[in-house]
Amino acid sequence: MRSQSLEDGGAAPWRDQRLSPTERADALLPRMSLEEKIAQLVGVWVGADASGEGVAPHQSDMISELPQWSTVIQYGLGQLTRPFGTAPVDPVSGARSLAASQAQIVAASRFGIPAQVHEECLTGFAAWRATVYPTPLSWGASFDPELVEAMADRIGRSMRAAGVHQGLAPVLDVTRDYRWGRTEETIGEDPYLVGTTGAAYVRGLERAGVVATLKHFAGYSASRGGRNLAPVPMGRRELADVILPPFEMALRLGGARSVMNSYAEIDGLPVAADSGLLTGLLRDEWGFTGTVVADYFAVRFLQTLHGVAGNAADAARLALRAGIDVELPTVDAFGEPLVEAARRGEVDEALIDCALRRVLIQKIELGLLDEGWQELPDDVASLRFDDEASQDVAVRLARESVVLLRNTGVLPLPVATRVALVGPVADDPMAMLGCYSFPNHVGVNHSDFGLGLDIPTLRGELARRVPMLTHEPGCAITGEDTSGIPAAVAAAAAADVCVLAVGDRAGMFGRGTSGEGCDAVDLRLPGVQADLVRAVLATGTPVVLVLMSGRPYALGPEFDGAAAVVQGFFLGQLGGQALAEVLTGAVNPSGRLPVSVPRDAGGLPSTYLAPPLGRRNKVSSIDPTPAYPFGHGLSYTTFEWSEATVVEPREDPAAWPVDGEVRVRITVANTGGRAGTEVVQLYLHDPVAQTTRPVVRLIGYTRLPLAPGEVAHVTFGVPADVASFTGLAGQRIVEPGDVELRFGRSSGDVAAALPLRLVGTERQVGFERELLTSVRIEPLVAVPQSA
């Protein structure tokens, strides 16, 4: 139980739960000294390692000397940084240690305010022995926001049970260049898919009582050359129409209570110093009332990396004025430099009060200032971070996110087949895990502790299902050693089928082939893996090419000889099981590409959101047409799409009011011999607009499970607001004119198109516009298989 301080006397108004959080914060704030105020605006990272093998940019440069614990908490403390995610710690021991730290923080300060505790949670609670879920690219590949929401709920429950209040997820960056190492952390290349999926994650985390932190606001993924933390040469329309919508959706549809700034500088202005973005847009226009936290060391980076601040105090002033409330990960510019600058009058104390008020309100909402608050959960002795319910969600999401790109009939693998399993990721448990999973993010620096989890490999899971299995790695993920290729070729030549598993190893800052700071020069497979693929394909044995990666790699003509191609994006701790189930037919694949798969490794990567001149044309010798387009994915059954029609409006079906809704419907039937799930996608085509527009863009989708012979109507209700874009004047508008709604199996495979006309006068819309296309599924009477 929290001890009472002399100041609050047991009856302080800021502890009165009958008052609103705002009233309680307003009662406390005036009583605090300058030092006490600023102490609430910083985090402390007591377990940070300055050895150079850290988990944040320039960590070894920024943490040269850790402050004394007693000194740093003497006026209170805003946040505790990653008590579980800095080094391996047993769940129960970690919770008890955290509770002891909280007790010291409460006892040391006049007002007894606990710290808000944050952790990473992108692929699960980033703690030792916690369930590792598939990466965000896999969330996108599932096209299943409901399952992502269930995953986030499981993550949030485990965090809150351990005493953690805030999660630094989801990542809502829309990937713009696949060479960027953090592509694996993105949900995909389409803002509607990213926004709907990201909002679902937020709902799950927030429902569990954990503050979701949207990152990275905004523009981080649009860096020049796909380089991490590089300048962003982005125009305002790309920012407004591609980058910002997922954040709008996560705030309005998810209820996120925190936002983290992007490291990016957009057109020469670092986001951490951009008041127009962090205050003008986020707070004034969008009405966001939560907290803005700094990405790790981003405040000091205004001085050390961007060169827009002369010293730490100047960096603190710029960040605070822009709208950053809390400096993370540890006390630095918002510490003594800010205190001294405020005393000299260089920083208006009203800015400090404004940030503090938001911080206090959030702590009150979390119950940290309530009379009954406890440092240690009652059931801490039974605390587990990896349980059967979590594993069930993890494997279901992995199954749904496996994408079958090509199949000439070799899949599913017959049980009696002689199979050669070849490739460097086939027997590597780490090949299942993303950069922000604990084993890859932190555990690699603490190898003595082990993985803390049972992570079956593809080899182990396939061997359980295919008795006649041989294995040869062929080569490593990186490096130039080709000495193992002859043995792999021999194994493939002696088999009926070869499963060839290639891909990535996630890491940090050059320690992997994918992940933060692990950017790629081009989209060739790392190391000599392409040589291995060519050699195995030359045997003539049917090859099932399996890619286990954090980004799409180019699959040009040299890969066309593969009998089947399967893509998985870091499928999590049970990804090996999911892949083996798909390969052997126990699971019918239903994943769809959240990113296009390029054909050319050397051409400038571009996503499907391109205007006509961004597509293949006669004015350039470069053909950017992908090998497999966004939304593509195959099944072991077949589906027939028919009877596309406009349901509403009935009077003039082609007329779509600029302030109204159109309802369109298509009929889908499972015409194959086994149950399967189709992903029905709806795209907008706007042939003539006042600014150039993508040829198509996703505006609706749904998963549709159907038994053999089963038929269903799928109806989309599309608000005209969904067709809006940024016009000539820089405002978001719905423009009258001809458009087309396209039912697609992918962005490149149109099953049916409905010509429509937006009618009325040009209409301006803003943050409160309709964001979602509704979906209704009407099962029909099943028809005979032969029908």
Side-chain angles (χ1 to χ4, degrees):
M1 184 74 70
R2 180 191 55 81
S3 60
Q4 291 288 335
S5 71
L6 293 176
E7 185 70 24
D8 63 41
W14 52 88
R15 301 204 184 277
D16 188 347
Q17 292 175 248
R18 295 170 298 179
L19 301 177
S20 71
T22 299
E23 291 171 325
R24 293 168 66 180
D26 287 343
L28 174 58
L29 193 152
R31 293 172 165 85
M32 300 175 73
S33 68
L34 179 63
E35 288 84 357
E36 288 168 333
K37 291 177 180 180
I38 292 177
Q40 292 296 317
L41 307 185
V42 298
V44 170
W45 198 1
V46 294
D49 179 11
S51 67
E53 295 295 318
V55 296
H58 290 269
Q59 180 175 314
S60 58
D61 300 334
M62 302 301 295
I63 300 179
S64 56
E65 210 172 292
L66 295 174
Q68 286 290 325
W69 174 248
S70 58
T71 300
V72 86
I73 67 170
Q74 63 180 320
Y75 297 114
L77 182 63
Q79 294 226 4
L80 274 171
T81 293
R82 305 198 65 184
F84 291 92
T86 302
V89 57
D90 174 79
V92 175
S93 299
R96 286 177 171 153
S97 176
L98 173 58
S101 296
Q102 288 280 38
Q104 292 169 354
I105 293 167
V106 167
S109 61
R110 285 198 300 152
F111 299 101
I113 306 171
Q116 190 164 325
V117 182
H118 75 261
E119 284 288 357
E120 298 285 0
C121 56
L122 190 62
T123 58
F125 185 9
W128 194 49
R129 295 181 176 172
T131 305
V132 179
Y133 296 88
T135 55
L137 266 188
S138 287
W139 311 352
S142 76
F143 277 71
D144 191 347
E146 290 186 3
L147 187 53
V148 171
E149 184 173 340
M151 174 194 70
D153 179 74
R154 297 301 310 173
I155 294 170
R157 287 169 183 261
S158 64
M159 295 173 74
R160 196 63 199 259
V164 178
H165 312 105
Q166 182 169 359
L168 304 188
V171 170
L172 297 180
D173 298 301
V174 178
T175 190
R176 304 296 285 159
D177 188 329
Y178 314 132
R179 296 173 298 181
W180 190 48
R182 302 191 80 164
T183 291
E184 65 169 72
E185 298 178 48
T186 71
I187 296 168
E189 66 184 45
D190 179 87
Y192 190 85
L193 179 65
V194 174
T196 49
T197 307
Y201 180 97
V202 169
R203 286 193 296 271
L205 204 66
E206 291 279 357
R207 184 172 64 246
V210 173
V211 173
T213 306
L214 310 183
K215 60 185 195 180
H216 307 87
F217 189 75
Y220 191 26
S221 58
S223 59
R224 183 179 276 116
R227 295 178 63 244
N228 190 49
L229 221 168
V232 173
M234 179 170 50
R236 60 180 179 175
R237 288 186 178 82
E238 182 180 359
L239 178 67
D241 292 345
V242 178
I243 301 298
L244 293 179
F247 291 93
E248 296 179 88
M249 297 177 89
L251 290 174
R252 282 190 50 204
L253 307 178
R257 288 181 283 173
S258 188
V259 170
M260 175 179 278
N261 75 282
S262 161
Y263 284 134
E265 55 180 79
I266 302 175
D267 195 24
L269 180 59
V271 171
D274 190 347
S275 60
L277 190 60
L278 297 182
T279 297
L281 178 71
L282 181 62
R283 297 196 184 280
D284 298 342
E285 187 174 332
W286 290 1
F288 177 65
T289 58
T291 58
V292 175
V293 299
D295 203 344
Y296 284 14
F297 309 117
V299 175
R300 183 60 82 96
F301 284 172
L302 293 174
Q303 173 196 355
T304 60
L305 298 186
H306 295 295
V308 297
N311 51 46
D314 198 20
R317 176 183 61 83
L318 289 174
L320 200 59
R321 187 180 66 184
I324 288 179
D325 300 317
V326 180
E327 181 184 32
L328 298 180
T330 200
V331 58
D332 182 33
F334 274 24
E336 193 62 28
L338 180 56
V339 172
E340 294 301 319
R343 293 204 185 284
R344 293 192 299 267
E346 296 170 2
V347 174
D348 188 347
E349 193 168 343
L351 286 175
I352 296 170
D353 289 350
C354 187
L356 173 61
R357 188 168 182 265
R358 291 189 283 257
V359 167
L360 291 177
I361 288 173
Q362 189 162 100
K363 287 193 171 187
I364 291 166
E365 289 174 344
L366 288 166
L368 297 181
L369 272 68
D370 290 352
E371 284 297 342
W373 179 80
Q374 291 180 288
E375 298 97 338
L376 192 65
D378 292 330
D379 56 350
V380 68
S382 60
L383 188 62
R384 288 183 60 198
F385 294 161
D386 183 39
D387 55 28
E388 290 183 3
S390 299
Q391 291 172 13
D392 177 66
V393 173
V395 74
R396 285 194 286 134
L397 184 55
R399 289 167 179 154
E400 289 189 3
S401 61
V402 175
V403 186
L404 179 60
L405 299 181
R406 178 192 302 159
N407 186 20
T408 60
V410 68
L411 292 178
L413 295 171
V415 174
T417 302
R418 294 176 301 164
V419 176
L421 177 61
V422 168
V425 301
D427 200 29
D428 183 0
M430 301 296 279
M432 298 293 169
L433 311 181
C435 170
Y436 267 74
S437 66
F438 185 88
N440 265 332
H441 199 62
V442 178
V444 291
N445 300 323
H446 303 273
S447 57
D448 291 347
F449 284 80
L451 295 177
L453 297 166
D454 179 22
I455 305 177
T457 66
L458 175 58
R459 179 188 180 186
E461 289 294 320
L462 202 56
R464 293 174 52 200
R465 295 164 174 83
V466 179
M468 294 182 287
L469 183 75
T470 59
H471 170 252
E472 287 289 343
C475 66
I477 295 172
T478 58
E480 301 300 319
D481 185 4
T482 60
S483 62
I485 291 180
V489 168
D496 298 319
V497 177
C498 176
V499 175
L500 177 52
V502 295
D504 280 319
R505 174 71 176 270
M508 300 284 292
F509 308 115
R511 300 194 293 272
T513 60
S514 174
E516 186 172 358
C518 297
D519 311 315
V521 173
D522 57 35
L523 296 175
R524 294 177 177 87
L525 285 166
V528 295
Q529 292 183 82
D531 295 335
L532 174 65
V533 173
R534 283 189 289 267
V536 171
L537 286 174
T539 65
T541 299
V543 173
V544 178
L545 182 63
V546 177
L547 294 112
M548 299 156 62
S549 62
R551 62 166 63 85
Y553 283 103
L555 297 178
E558 62 184 338
F559 297 96
D560 286 345
V565 181
V566 176
Q567 174 71 65
F569 295 108
F570 290 146
L571 297 169
Q573 72 184 61
L574 296 175
Q577 176 184 335
L579 275 171
E581 289 172 337
V582 168
L583 292 174
T584 57
V587 168
N588 194 349
S590 61
R592 299 295 183 267
L593 284 175
V595 287
S596 305
V597 173
R599 179 165 287 272
D600 183 5
L604 181 66
S606 61
T607 74
Y608 94 103
L609 290 177
L613 282 180
R615 300 290 185 95
R616 181 181 181 180
N617 56 53
K618 297 179 180 180
V619 298
S620 173
S621 59
I622 297 176
D623 180 3
T625 304
Y628 302 100
F630 171 87
H632 173 75
L634 304 177
S635 171
Y636 293 149
T637 190
T638 56
F639 299 95
E640 180 180 291
W641 298 31
S642 62
E643 301 176 10
T645 186
V646 177
V647 179
E648 294 283 351
R650 296 180 180 177
E651 297 78 16
D652 183 358
W656 182 7
V658 294
D659 59 353
E661 180 183 86
V662 64
R663 293 175 60 221
V664 295
R665 186 177 68 200
I666 196 162
T667 303
V668 181
N670 182 346
T671 55
R674 61 177 294 174
T677 297
E678 181 69 297
V679 178
V680 183
Q681 302 159 50
L682 186 68
Y683 293 87
L684 174 70
H685 171 60
D686 190 349
V688 179
Q690 58 186 259
T691 64
T692 61
R693 305 294 304 132
V695 175
V696 292
R697 64 181 177 94
L698 185 72
I699 60 168
Y701 63 89
T702 190
R703 290 176 60 87
L704 180 63
L706 293 173
E710 192 175 6
V711 184
H713 287 326
V714 179
T715 302
F716 291 100
V718 189
D721 289 4
V722 173
S724 65
F725 63 93
T726 303
L728 288 173
Q731 303 296 322
R732 179 173 287 276
I733 60 167
V734 180
E735 183 184 34
D738 293 335
V739 295
E740 196 172 78
L741 293 182
R742 297 178 175 179
F743 292 98
R745 299 180 182 90
S746 73
S747 60
D749 184 359
V750 177
L754 297 173
L756 298 167
R757 186 177 64 258
L758 281 162
V759 295
T761 58
E762 184 179 296
R763 176 170 157 263
Q764 184 174 323
V765 297
F767 181 67
E768 296 301 322
R769 69 189 184 280
E770 293 290 330
L771 297 172
L772 284 180
T773 293
S774 64
V775 185
R776 181 182 178 188
I777 297 174
E778 301 169 85
L780 303 179
V781 177
V783 297
Q785 178 74 32
S786 59

